[in-house]
Amino acid sequence: MANTEAWILRLLAEDFSAPCRDDRFCAPCAAAFCDHCCGAHHRGQGHEVVVRAAAVAAASVGGQAQGPVRSGDRDSFCVSCGAGFSAALCGHHVRHDTFRIVVCEGRHCARCTGSEPWFHLFTGIKTYHDEKGHILVPLNPRCGGHRCKSCGRCLPVDEAQGPGTGQRT
């Protein structure tokens, strides 16, 4: 599989409804981070990572308080890392090839200019435009109205019925 195909598949599989949380702490970097989108940067030799619950109990590393665990919406996608992330929490993606994810008519969409070198991969997908002229590319099909009450994800018709009750979940 080509590198381009790998990030596209990750983009389409990403759950943008799930939040990012700085739930890990890297002692050598003295930084809290989200394991989902930033974990790969803190794995390997020279990095000692702890889960924030244990880190918060310890209260500090190297004399610096870690503070409360923060969270943020996954509102961006990093082509370089192949992961969705929160622009408010995950600042290390700033030098990577990234784009914003916005919600349009209840669907997560990639916000593009059309000049991205990989934009041709979206050829054939019906797009929309926002008020600033950005191209919005839907990342998932329109839901037929059957959504999970817990997570909001679209359910296929056969899963939309409650077990043996005929009621929607």
Side-chain angles (χ1 to χ4, degrees), residues 11-53:
L11 170 67
L12 296 175
E14 184 69 51
D15 181 5
F16 288 101
S17 64
C20 283
R21 290 185 177 89
D22 58 358
D23 57 355
R24 304 284 192 271
F25 189 84
C26 181
C29 297
F33 65 95
C34 174
D35 190 50
H36 164 76
C37 59
C38 306
H41 299 286
H42 297 279
R43 290 187 187 106
Q45 189 172 5
H47 292 275
E48 181 182 336
V49 174
V50 294
V51 176
R52 284 295 304 272

Side-chain angles (χ1 to χ4, degrees), residues 40-123:
H41 299 286
H42 297 279
R43 290 187 187 106
Q45 189 172 5
H47 292 275
E48 181 182 336
V49 174
V50 294
V51 176
R52 284 295 304 272
V56 170
S60 68
V61 172
Q64 296 190 7
Q66 296 173 17
V69 174
R70 300 175 305 145
S71 68
D73 293 335
R74 286 188 194 160
D75 58 2
S76 301
F77 187 82
C78 181
V79 174
S80 306
C81 298
F85 69 97
S86 168
L89 291 181
C90 307
H92 75 271
H93 296 282
V94 74
R95 292 182 183 88
H96 296 180
D97 185 6
T98 65
F99 54 89
R100 296 296 291 223
I101 302 297
V102 297
V103 177
C104 176
E105 297 180 9
R107 298 160 64 182
H108 288 97
C109 299
R111 188 177 77 185
C112 308
T113 63
S115 63
E116 295 86 356
W118 39 260
F119 186 76
H120 68 280
L121 297 171
F122 296 134
T123 300

Side-chain angles (χ1 to χ4, degrees), residues 129-144:
H129 288 84
D130 68 9
E131 63 280 352
K132 294 183 179 178
H134 292 105
I135 301 168
L136 304 180
V137 182
L139 300 177
N140 46 23
R142 186 176 305 279
C143 183

